[in-house]
Amino acid sequence: MCRSERLGSRGQGDGGYVTAEAAVVIPTLVALTAFLVWGLMAGAAQVRCVDAARAGARAAARSETPAEVLRVARAAAPSGAQVAVGRDGDLVRVRVAVPLPRFPVPLAAEAVALDESAVEDAAEDAEDNVRGARGGGLP
């Protein structure tokens, strides 16, 4: 038998332990819920950064204008994200980053695509090589 049952009708009960426990547990649950919601928002922003970088890289690979590439990437990026586009030979790089004041962890994504004009040039070179091989004595 517990203490509160022994006291029964005298009305002394549990001495306020439930109130004290609730005063500690409820703020802890609210803080945990807020942290989980923040984590979901950060995860969603990271996914949007990846999508925006990929969309920008595809547009740049199609030889879209730099303004169009930025427009496409910014349309898919989270609000306030920074978009950078660069070229490295035949590769196009698009980086999307969310500045730190919005989230205390860095959120960024980078996508790389091969410029389609490089693919077309390589295909034309391959066709020329095949034609040259056929003209060089093969039937």
Side-chain angles (χ1 to χ4, degrees):
M1 180 181 277
C2 69
R3 181 174 173 233
S4 62
E5 290 175 352
R6 278 185 279 148
L7 295 175
S9 62
R10 288 191 286 171
Q12 291 181 353
D14 57 19
Y17 287 113
V18 172
T19 304
E21 290 169 357
V24 171
V25 169
I26 290 175
T28 303
L29 290 176
V30 169
L32 178 65
T33 302
F35 180 74
L36 291 174
V37 168
W38 174 86
L40 286 173
M41 290 175 58
Q46 178 64 33
V47 169
R48 289 189 65 194
C49 285
V50 170
D51 290 344
R54 188 178 306 137
R58 275 194 309 262
R62 290 189 310 258
S63 300
E64 300 285 344
T65 65
E68 180 66 15
V69 171
L70 288 174
R71 188 196 65 76
V72 167
R74 285 188 179 135
S79 63
Q82 299 168 343
V83 178
V85 180
R87 288 196 176 265
D88 184 18
D90 290 337
L91 297 177
V92 179
R93 295 182 185 275
V94 177
R95 180 170 172 78
V96 178
V98 176
L100 284 180
R102 182 161 179 202
F103 292 103
V105 294
L107 299 178
E110 184 175 66
V112 180
L114 183 62
D115 192 357
E116 286 184 5
S117 63
V119 174
E120 291 169 0
D121 293 343
E124 288 174 7
D125 289 344
E127 286 178 19
D128 291 342
N129 289 339
V130 169
R131 284 187 203 124
R134 285 187 185 155
L138 292 177

